[in-house]
């Protein structure tokens, strides 16, 4: 997977692309990365990454994982997913430009096109955010 660009795994594009790379996939767990830049779409007036940016980063991390699974299974392109619900979101610290985010996504149960995921985002060894989400995957037409 190291040779596959993130653009192949997720449908999002600049200026709201919130994942730089898929680092690791093992079973139902994936790790993604993002270097926060000062021109990031979600940087607030105070110069820090806004909470909606963290939520979007976690959702796109799940999207990269789903894209990896789909392409590994022979799909031509990644599936399109939508956030159905965000539960138990906690932001412990808002990242700043230069921070390297590492997010661990754990896929949970899937039923009727809805997948429950958990996401935990770290900067170095510090947890900066975590959440659970329900993601709806748009069926192929």
């Amino acid at each position: 997977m190291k040779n596959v660009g993130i653009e192949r795994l997720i449908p999002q594009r600049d200026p709201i692309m919130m994942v730089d790379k898929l680092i690791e996939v093992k079973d139902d767990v994936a790790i993604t990365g993002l270097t926060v830049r000062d021109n990031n779409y979600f940087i607030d007036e105070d110069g820090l990454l806004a909470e909606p940016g963290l939520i979007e980063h976690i959702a796109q991390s799940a999207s990269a994982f789903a894209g990896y699974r789909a392409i590994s299974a022979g799909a031509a392109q990644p599936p399109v997913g939508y956030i159905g619900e965000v539960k138990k979101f906690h932001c412990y610290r808002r990242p700043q430009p230069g921070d390297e985010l590492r997010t661990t996504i754990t896929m949970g149960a899937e039923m009727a096109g809805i997948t429950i995921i958990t996401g935990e985002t770290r900067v170095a060894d510090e947890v900066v955010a975590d959440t659970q989400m329900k993601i709806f995957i748009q069926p192929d037409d």
Side-chain angles (χ1 to χ4, degrees), residues 14-28:
D14 279 333
I16 59 163
M17 201 163 160
M18 294 296 292
V19 177
D20 289 333
K21 58 191 162 218
L22 179 63
I23 298 167
E24 182 180 332
V25 173
K26 186 173 182 192
D27 301 323
D28 287 335

Side-chain angles (χ1 to χ4, degrees), residues 2-15:
K2 292 178 182 164
N3 296 329
V4 176
I6 197 69
E7 296 86 6
R8 181 138 186 257
L9 301 179
I10 63 174
Q12 293 82 3
R13 296 291 177 258
D14 279 333

Side-chain angles (χ1 to χ4, degrees), residues 8-78:
R8 181 138 186 257
L9 301 179
I10 63 174
Q12 293 82 3
R13 296 291 177 258
D14 279 333
I16 59 163
M17 201 163 160
M18 294 296 292
V19 177
D20 289 333
K21 58 191 162 218
L22 179 63
I23 298 167
E24 182 180 332
V25 173
K26 186 173 182 192
D27 301 323
D28 287 335
V29 178
I31 300 172
T32 65
L34 173 71
T35 300
V36 179
R37 306 210 187 297
D38 57 7
N39 65 346
N40 184 291
Y41 181 82
F42 291 99
I43 294 290
D44 259 346
E45 61 277 349
D46 58 5
L48 299 174
L49 188 66
E51 289 182 6
L54 282 165
I55 292 169
E56 184 63 24
H57 167 68
I58 293 169
Q60 287 188 30
S61 294
S63 180
F65 192 6
Y68 171 84
R69 284 180 157 181
I71 289 170
S72 294
Q77 46 190 338

Side-chain angles (χ1 to χ4, degrees), residues 70-93:
I71 289 170
S72 294
Q77 46 190 338
V80 175
Y82 301 96
I83 300 171
E85 180 181 26
V86 177
K87 291 177 67 175
K88 302 178 186 174
F89 174 74
H90 302 105
C91 178
Y92 306 102
R93 177 176 73 81

Side-chain angles (χ1 to χ4, degrees), residues 28-30 65 104-109 115-120:
D28 287 335
V29 178
F65 192 6
T104 302
I105 298 295
T106 304
M107 292 286 189
T115 302
I116 298 172
I117 65 107
T118 58
E120 179 183 81

